[in-house]
Amino acid sequence: MSSRMTRTILRWLLVLLYLAAGYFHLTTPLTFLAIIPGWVPYPLQVIYWTGLAEVAGAVALAQPFGPWLRKAAGVGLALYALCVWPANINHMLIDLARPDHGLGLAYHVPRMIAQPLLIWLALWTAKVTDWPFTRRGR
């Protein structure tokens, strides 16, 4: 499989992932309320805005016209994934503090590892970066 095809397939998987995540943030916001760190103001509104950001980023990443909007979406989704990381960390801490350890390390460790991968994937599938697949001097 070519790098171009791999990038396209992964871009569409990312589009579907963010569309689904946005849908759930918008339709079941109370599910996410418990994992929002206490220092975040207006947590319910933040959940709605994150859902809208996910849907908008997915739509922009999916568009077939000109690379500039896709690149902007890649940067936006990468920044988004970075900004929501504290909620994911908070979710892990809350969950593991439960007597039954909630979803457990088998869920949370891969989830924590996946976050930087999502950041990179947004940038790579949008062609913001070719790292680590480019050779030096190219």
Side-chain angles (χ1 to χ4, degrees), residues 18 75-89 115-116 118-119:
Y18 275 111
V75 170
L77 287 172
L79 290 171
Y80 166 82
L82 181 64
C83 289
V84 299
W85 209 346
N88 296 330
I89 293 168
Q115 201 70 14
L118 284 173
I119 293 167

Side-chain angles (χ1 to χ4, degrees), residues 15-138:
V15 166
L16 293 174
L17 174 92
Y18 275 111
L19 281 176
Y23 171 81
F24 287 115
H25 277 93
L26 294 170
T27 59
T28 59
L30 298 181
T31 306
F32 298 95
L33 202 53
I35 69 167
I36 301 290
W39 51 264
V40 174
Y42 308 104
L44 189 58
Q45 291 82 352
V46 167
I47 293 167
Y48 284 120
W49 281 108
T50 58
L52 290 173
E54 288 166 325
V55 170
V59 169
L61 192 61
Q63 64 77 33
F65 313 107
W68 66 271
L69 186 56
R70 226 176 301 143
K71 286 184 178 184
V75 170
L77 287 172
L79 290 171
Y80 166 82
L82 181 64
C83 289
V84 299
W85 209 346
N88 296 330
I89 293 168
N90 196 49
H91 180 212
M92 179 179 71
L93 296 175
I94 291 169
D95 210 33
L96 293 176
R98 292 175 36 178
D100 66 354
H101 302 295
L103 296 170
L105 289 174
Y107 169 81
H108 289 291
V109 169
R111 180 70 186 92
M112 290 299 108
I113 293 169
Q115 201 70 14
L117 182 61
L118 284 173
I119 293 167
W120 170 79
L121 202 55
L123 297 171
W124 186 72
T125 60
K127 297 184 181 176
V128 175
T129 185
D130 284 326
W131 179 86
F133 302 111
T134 39
R135 295 182 187 176
R136 290 180 187 235
R138 253 175 57 172

